[in-house]
Amino acid sequence: MPNVTDRRGFAIPVTVLLVALLTVMLTAGFTRLQVDRQIAAGTSATQEALAIAQSGLQTYLGTLNIDACVRPVRPVDNDSVRINVPGGYAWVHAHVAQKPADTLGTWLYIIRSTGSAIEASIGPDPRARRTVAQFARWQQGSLKMPAVWTAAEGIDGKQNGNATGEFRGVDQAPAGCRDPDVTAIRTPSGLSPADLSGFTLSGNSPYVLAAGSRQQVADSTYIDWNAVVNGGIAPDYTSPQLWDWTYSVQLITGNLTIGDPSSSDVGTGLLIVTGDLHIHSAFFQWYGAILVGGKIHLGADDQRFDGYVASGLKAQLGLSVGKTKLGEQDDYTDMDFNSLFVRASLNGLSGWVPVGNTWMDDWASY
Amino acid sequence: MNRRGFTLVELIVTMGVVAILGTALAKLILSTSTFVARQEAELDARRTARTAHNLIANDLRLITSGGVFAATGTDIQLNVPYAWGVLCNEAGSATIASLMPVDSALFATAVPGVIFWQLANGSYQAGPQWPSVGPSGNLGACTADSVRVVPGGQLVQIGATGMAPPGTIFFLARSIRYRFQSSSLLPGRTGLFRTADGLPEEEVIAPFASDAGFRFLMGTQLTAQATPPTDLDSLQGLEVLLFAESESTPRGAPGPTRFEFDVRVKFANRES
């Protein structure tokens, strides 16, 4: 028998060689694939950082800070906020680019947001960063209020002997948040209510100021009614929102009728009616500001306005408008000036307004 | 010498086994080699598409109105914003401006092909071409209109006047052209060429399939169409058909590997 252990074969070297060859080829292939995957992952992280930056920017632009008196707080120059979002965080910085000399003018800011994509399993170091920027103007809603009820259409005096009510030009906001008092009623010359017996009036003297034309009274509100009726305001709603406590902006085109003789209707915010406002409720109360293009039909048994009311504003455009009648029946009408509710109703018009077509990607960080 | 040799049968059997194993191994090696070659070809094509995408998408994203001023299915000419700021007052034959922070490397090398400023409706109007832009120390021209230089920003003078009132937002844009045409790097194939800042045209990357090119996104639904609209300002974005190919034909394949990368870029600053 031959001693097989003495034989020197070639199977093992050849096998080793082949396995090595195959390993090298496959390793080379998979290494290149891996590099490609890493590039793809890096691109994905950069895209994620971009999304985070954009999310931070949008969140910042949608934020409105208000103080204890519900006044919107204008962001300070170099305002800096960290906003956490799923997958990372964004640092948002706001810098004043233009501060107009006109104190009521809107300030122009440049807002940049740097997004950092974080992978929790890897650690706190961002996988990618990306910066975006946007010009935006800081806008603050405001109303000039000549009286708690500025009735440019004029008011017919008490129609019913038992009608009562109150017009208070003294600010009913909490102490420390009050604005200067205003007149109780402002009408055009010769169009003020002749009979106000049974009504309590307070505020700046004279309580009833009747002067100028309808158009002049409407102009005294400094409301640009032409802009209001032609798309100058972006409302939250285009129908009245009763029993809603969000102080939204509600723009109703044409006439509006609220309630019926058995309903109790309460609302908040800025209610704009381009036509006439008819109130038919048993009980009606509004917290905020009401702007009416035509007249107001005060038809509720008990109607209370806490904030500010302006009517007959389409007189500003030279359009005719009939007079509002006060105390048409045995009812109660109460209008109280309250700057807090007015501010709350205007906050929907305050905040950041991004300047269109001014978005920048990969902005330099500093 | 007590060893015995192999018998004929042993030899034949051994040779048969070796032949079978050898054939199987050869097939395995060939198969692996083909697999690797195809993978490499696909990676090659994908890399080509991605490189082109990284370049084009960044340029296209910031386009404003007037940003696309000539276009065909394979050729687009763009004004690409690279810096922006707020105009201040004029001083002599120049307009002073507050420039927002920029990418310093890009700003140092970019040549402004045109200046755009914003109109009240949010669109942009183009000003003089190839305006000169240089540093300025005339801060008074800006503070007169309460325009500030933000941290990291700079004051510049633009060699043009009569543009827009102080406080107007403007862009400085580079003139850039992309087109797919016959490659000079790989004759017989299609390459992507780029011209920027008035410099000679250069071939960025190749090869692409002959049907690579551009389609035009219209309307709010971003509907793609093959031909450019008459009014290029109505464009809402571009679809870039980055149909890349591998440089070589992998073994066993009828032709170069094709990788279809279809990128839609909406112009971020094109809403009016």
Side-chain angles (χ1 to χ4, degrees):
Chain A
M1 284 293 289
N3 183 357
V4 293
T5 57
D6 286 346
R7 291 187 188 168
R8 302 187 64 182
F10 56 88
I12 288 178
V14 167
T15 305
V16 168
L17 186 69
L18 285 171
V19 169
L21 188 64
L22 285 172
T23 305
V24 168
M25 289 172 71
L26 286 171
T27 304
F30 283 116
T31 301
R32 297 188 70 162
L33 196 62
Q34 191 64 19
V35 169
D36 196 66
R37 277 183 182 164
Q38 283 170 356
I39 293 170
T43 305
S44 167
T46 306
Q47 288 300 314
E48 202 176 324
L50 173 64
I52 290 167
Q54 190 63 23
S55 175
L57 181 67
Q58 295 298 339
T59 303
Y60 185 80
L61 288 174
T63 303
L64 176 68
N65 293 319
I66 55 174
D67 66 11
C69 292
V70 201
R71 293 186 181 95
V73 180
R74 187 199 306 275
V76 297
D77 191 12
N78 300 329
D79 189 26
S80 179
V81 179
R82 174 182 159 134
I83 296 171
N84 293 321
V85 297
Y89 59 88
W91 270 108
V92 184
H93 303 265
H95 300 283
V96 177
Q98 188 184 26
K99 176 188 173 186
D102 170 14
T103 53
L104 294 177
T106 55
W107 293 23
L108 178 67
Y109 285 72
I110 179 72
I111 301 168
R112 72 180 177 86
S113 171
T114 301
S116 298
I118 301 288
E119 176 62 58
S121 60
I122 295 176
D125 291 335
R127 288 183 297 141
R129 278 204 176 94
R130 192 91 174 243
T131 301
V132 297
Q134 167 84 51
F135 274 114
R137 295 186 191 280
W138 172 259
Q139 173 179 283
Q140 192 165 328
S142 64
L143 275 177
K144 183 173 172 59
M145 294 167 280
V148 63
W149 183 12
T150 304
E153 76 278 25
I155 303 170
D156 263 345
K158 222 165 89 167
Q159 307 290 301
N160 183 305
N162 293 323
T164 57
E166 193 170 24
F167 294 96
R168 285 198 281 190
V170 177
D171 194 351
Q172 300 300 302
C177 295
R178 289 177 187 148
D179 280 0
D181 296 343
V182 298
T183 299
I185 296 174
R186 173 81 169 91
T187 68
S189 178
L191 297 175
S192 60
D195 180 8
L196 282 171
S197 58
F199 285 85
T200 305
L201 289 93
S202 66
N204 282 349
S205 182
Y207 298 150
V208 178
L209 175 60
S213 65
R214 283 186 163 114
Q215 189 165 346
Q216 285 171 327
V217 174
D219 286 345
S220 71
T221 61
Y222 286 89
I223 295 166
D224 185 351
W225 195 248
N226 184 48
V228 169
V229 298
N230 287 304
I233 279 189
D236 299 311
Y237 301 100
T238 53
S239 60
Q241 303 298 303
L242 298 173
W243 298 102
D244 175 89
W245 300 96
T246 59
Y247 287 87
S248 55
V249 178
Q250 302 158 40
L251 173 61
I252 287 83
T253 303
N255 298 334
L256 171 66
T257 299
I258 292 179
D260 58 60
S262 62
S263 68
S264 181
D265 302 303
V266 177
T268 65
L270 175 60
L271 175 65
I272 304 171
V273 182
T274 62
D276 295 339
L277 171 61
H278 300 272
I279 302 169
H280 288 167
S281 317
F283 175 79
F284 174 83
Q285 184 152 25
W286 193 268
Y287 298 95
I290 294 181
L291 310 179
V292 181
K295 63 182 179 181
I296 304 176
H297 176 210
L298 297 164
D301 296 336
D302 186 343
Q303 48 223 325
R304 298 166 187 241
F305 304 84
D306 291 278
Y308 169 66
V309 179
S311 52
L313 292 172
K314 65 182 179 184
Q316 203 180 80
L317 309 179
L319 300 173
S320 64
V321 50
K323 285 198 289 184
T324 288
K325 292 175 180 172
L326 186 61
E328 283 193 82
Q329 53 190 357
D330 182 8
D331 59 17
Y332 178 78
T333 302
D334 180 8
M335 290 191 187
D336 291 342
F337 174 48
N338 191 313
S339 63
L340 190 81
F341 293 135
V342 172
R343 283 193 292 273
S345 70
L346 295 177
N347 279 345
L349 303 176
S350 300
W352 293 110
V353 181
V355 180
N357 298 333
T358 60
W359 183 83
M360 190 67 107
D361 184 12
D362 262 342
W363 212 45
S365 56
Y366 56 90
Chain B
M1 294 294 289
N2 58 353
R3 291 187 187 172
R4 283 174 46 203
F6 294 110
T7 65
L8 184 59
V9 174
E10 283 178 329
L11 275 172
I12 289 171
V13 169
T14 304
M15 286 172 68
V17 170
V18 167
I20 291 168
L21 286 175
T23 305
L25 277 170
K27 279 192 172 177
L28 183 62
I29 291 170
L30 276 174
S31 162
T32 308
S33 166
T34 303
F35 170 75
V36 170
R38 289 194 175 185
Q39 285 295 317
E40 285 187 351
E42 181 156 345
L43 288 176
D44 193 21
R46 203 184 297 180
R47 198 176 303 114
T48 301
R50 188 180 293 134
T51 302
H53 166 253
N54 289 344
L55 196 64
I56 290 180
N58 275 344
D59 283 344
L60 291 183
R61 200 196 305 269
L62 301 174
I63 293 289
T64 65
S65 54
V68 181
F69 60 90
T72 69
T74 56
D75 187 349
I76 51 168
Q77 296 182 57
L78 314 164
N79 287 318
V80 178
Y82 71 99
W84 62 349
V86 181
L87 292 177
C88 300
N89 279 302
E90 296 175 357
S93 59
T95 302
I96 310 300
S98 168
L99 205 66
M100 299 299 116
V102 291
D103 182 317
S104 54
L106 177 61
F107 189 72
T109 54
V111 178
V114 70
I115 180 170
F116 284 94
W117 59 84
Q118 194 174 48
L119 303 175
N121 66 2
S123 65
Y124 282 81
Q125 179 177 328
Q129 290 193 310
W130 309 109
S132 65
V133 178
S136 171
N138 189 353
L139 188 60
C142 284
T143 51
D145 285 292
S146 306
V147 177
R148 299 179 176 188
V149 178
V150 305
Q154 56 188 300
L155 208 60
V156 295
Q157 59 176 8
I158 301 163
T161 54
M163 291 189 289
T168 303
I169 294 170
F170 73 96
F171 275 125
L172 291 175
R174 308 166 72 191
S175 292
I176 293 179
R177 179 183 194 180
Y178 285 104
R179 60 174 166 165
F180 291 95
Q181 61 176 0
S182 296
S183 171
S184 54
L185 296 173
L186 298 170
R189 312 288 289 276
T190 299
L192 175 63
F193 291 73
R194 183 174 189 260
T195 314
D197 305 326
L199 297 173
E201 186 176 57
E202 62 172 345
E203 185 169 0
V204 177
I205 197 160
F208 287 91
S210 57
D211 55 349
F214 304 99
R215 300 216 303 166
F216 304 90
L217 302 179
M218 302 294 296
T220 52
Q221 299 297 316
L222 299 182
T223 308
Q225 63 181 47
T227 53
T230 310
D231 176 15
L232 289 173
D233 251 4
S234 62
L235 268 177
Q236 295 299 312
L238 282 174
E239 183 177 16
V240 190
L241 307 175
L242 294 170
F243 298 160
E245 290 182 340
S246 61
E247 196 170 325
S248 57
T249 300
R251 185 184 305 112
T257 300
R258 178 183 169 100
F259 179 72
E260 294 194 357
F261 197 12
D262 185 345
V263 183
R264 286 182 162 218
V265 183
K266 184 184 183 311
F267 300 156
N269 291 320
R270 187 54 200 88
E271 291 163 3
S272 59

